[in-house]
């Protein structure tokens, strides 16, 4: 529990620093949401907010996250169906969006997405996908993570900023009854 409290304290310090320094408001909001989630999770560790026999992971926090991951998976799947039905790769294309959806969908399963896998998810030629990964990195939406076991492989993961924007997007879709 002390580790959780310490981690939460550091996270809240990051939120304050981000807000006070006038940094990107989306990053500050993502940090704040992460702090709130950590606080709820820590409260569950000590029994607060959970009825006897009730698992904290079944609470609303888990459901919202799972809903967003399922929604990302469905949106990505619908895009692939559209591509197959129209059978013309020149009609549609948003490789960055496809990669973000794939990364979000994988997040809940603790599945790491390699650069190669992200390129395949983008549904465009490899060189185009690699250019889009660079764009996403430069915009602070994804970051690379080296594989400790295999130096030839690199993974991609969503940044806090991207998680905050995607969360906002899916919450807004739900609010407008579009999901």
């Amino acid at each position: 529990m002390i580790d959780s409290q310490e981690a939460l304290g550091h996270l809240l310090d990051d939120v304050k620093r981000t807000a006070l320094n006038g940094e990107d408001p989306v990053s500050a909001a993502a940090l704040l949401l992460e702090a709130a989630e950590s606080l709820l999770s820590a409260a569950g560790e000590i029994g607060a907010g959970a009825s006897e026999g009730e698992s904290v992971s079944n609470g609303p926090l888990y459901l919202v996250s799972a809903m967003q991951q399922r929604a990302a998976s469905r949106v990505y799947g619908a895009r692939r169906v559209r591509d197959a039905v129209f059978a013309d790769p020149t009609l549609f294309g948003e490789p960055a969006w496809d990669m973000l959806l794939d990364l979000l969908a994988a997040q809940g399963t603790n599945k790491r997405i390699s650069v190669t896998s992200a390129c395949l998810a983008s549904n465009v030629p490899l060189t185009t996908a690699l250019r889009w990964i660079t764009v996403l990195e430069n915009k602070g939406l994804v970051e690379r993570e080296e594989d400790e076991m295999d130096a030839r492989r690199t993974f991609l993961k969503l940044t806090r900023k991207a998680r905050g924007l995607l969360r906002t997007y899916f919450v807004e879709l739900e609010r407008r009854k579009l999901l």
Side-chain angles (χ1 to χ4, degrees):
M1 182 173 94
I2 291 177
D3 289 341
S4 296
Q5 288 175 338
E6 251 181 73
L8 180 60
H10 291 300
L11 190 54
L12 288 172
D13 288 343
D14 287 346
V15 171
K16 290 175 193 170
R17 189 173 26 264
T18 301
L20 292 174
N21 290 337
E23 294 178 32
D24 178 21
V26 173
S27 293
L31 280 170
L32 190 55
L33 285 169
E34 205 169 303
E37 289 173 352
S38 295
L39 182 59
L40 289 171
S41 178
E45 286 178 17
I46 59 173
S51 305
E52 176 123 347
E54 180 184 352
S55 167
V56 174
S57 65
N58 291 332
L61 181 65
Y62 173 79
L63 294 175
V64 168
S65 181
M67 180 278 298
Q68 291 170 356
Q69 289 157 5
R70 282 192 309 273
S73 220
R74 285 193 305 259
V75 170
Y76 180 82
R79 292 170 64 78
R80 298 295 67 84
V81 168
R82 180 196 63 192
D83 291 346
V85 168
F86 282 86
D88 183 349
T90 64
L91 281 178
F92 310 107
E94 289 181 282
W97 184 235
D98 288 335
M99 284 187 251
L100 292 173
L101 289 172
D102 188 48
L103 287 166
L104 179 63
Q107 181 178 306
T109 63
N110 291 327
K111 178 183 170 194
R112 297 171 80 190
I113 301 295
S114 68
V115 169
T116 303
S117 179
C119 288
L120 292 172
S122 71
N123 209 32
V124 293
L126 179 65
T127 53
T128 303
L130 290 170
R131 276 196 308 273
W132 276 106
I133 289 172
T134 300
V135 168
L136 290 170
E137 279 182 297
N138 291 339
K139 294 195 177 283
L141 297 173
V142 299
E143 56 192 14
R144 292 176 193 253
E145 190 174 71
E146 300 301 320
D147 185 345
E148 312 82 38
M149 306 302 263
D150 185 349
R152 298 169 296 175
R153 186 168 48 185
T154 303
F155 296 104
L156 284 182
K157 67 179 192 175
L158 296 171
T159 63
R160 283 183 174 156
K161 176 181 177 180
R163 289 191 310 269
L165 288 167
L166 287 163
R167 180 177 298 157
T168 301
Y169 173 76
F170 284 109
V171 166
E172 189 62 20
L173 284 181
E174 182 65 26
R175 187 184 73 74
R176 294 179 186 205
K177 308 283 188 241
L178 296 171
L179 195 58

